[in-house]
Amino acid sequence: MGFALDLASIEGLDKDEALRRLGYIDTGRRTDRIGRDVAWAATSKGRVVLIARYGWLEPARLADLSGGASLVAGRFETHVGDSNAWGYRDGDCVWSVLYPAEGSGLTVEGAPPPEFAVIRDRLLAERRAEANDGDEPDEDLFD
């Protein structure tokens, strides 16, 4: 069993405004159906975190959510090893990191947070160390 989810962490909106922009209201019901319902949480630093089914937080929704705010969003599908991340500010995508399960490999646009390069470089070094037999390293970075 695996997971297929979309996630967003929003700074600059309260929970009610974030849900309103998505066409939802807080029902007060707890859910254990992560990925079927839209679930939310608030961090101690005031960010609103949303979890939704895979593919639901499309670019137009992310742009709407980030109007007057900023957000970091991600999508992953563990069955096939597909993952993507985006940074939006004031309705615009300012960076993206795309890693399709099949295709051209890692694509980076804009300037993702500095932690991205640290994580990428660590994973590449691990893959190279695993391939110490002279073969080309496995460049699969889904981790």
Side-chain angles (χ1 to χ4, degrees):
M1 180 174 173
F3 290 97
L5 296 172
D6 283 1
L7 307 141
S9 175
I10 308 155
E11 181 177 42
L13 296 181
D14 66 23
K15 173 258 310 177
D16 292 325
E17 178 60 16
L19 292 175
R20 185 194 67 74
R21 290 183 186 190
L22 295 171
Y24 286 94
I25 59 168
D26 182 4
T27 63
R29 289 190 328 246
R30 294 185 180 267
T31 183
D32 60 357
R33 298 172 9 150
I34 299 299
R36 294 186 190 148
D37 297 327
V38 171
W40 70 271
T43 71
S44 62
K45 297 191 183 216
R47 294 183 76 93
V48 176
V49 178
L50 300 173
I51 302 172
R53 67 179 165 79
Y54 182 83
W56 195 78
L57 289 173
E58 290 295 328
R61 283 194 172 108
L62 294 173
D64 287 344
L65 273 174
S66 70
S70 65
L71 66 81
V72 174
R75 168 178 296 157
F76 64 94
E77 211 288 2
T78 62
H79 297 96
V80 297
D82 181 66
S83 62
N84 304 300
W86 302 271
Y88 277 76
R89 185 175 300 117
D90 292 323
D92 294 317
C93 183
V94 294
W95 62 264
S96 65
V97 177
L98 308 176
Y99 189 74
E102 295 181 20
S104 60
L106 188 66
T107 302
V108 179
E109 294 182 359
E115 295 85 356
F116 165 73
V118 172
I119 294 167
R120 180 200 56 213
D121 293 348
R122 177 183 51 83
L123 290 172
L124 285 171
E126 288 173 5
R127 299 310 183 269
R128 288 184 185 112
E130 291 168 359
N132 62 7
D133 58 6
D135 291 339
E136 284 295 311
D138 179 4
E139 298 290 323
D140 180 7
L141 296 180
F142 188 83
D143 194 27

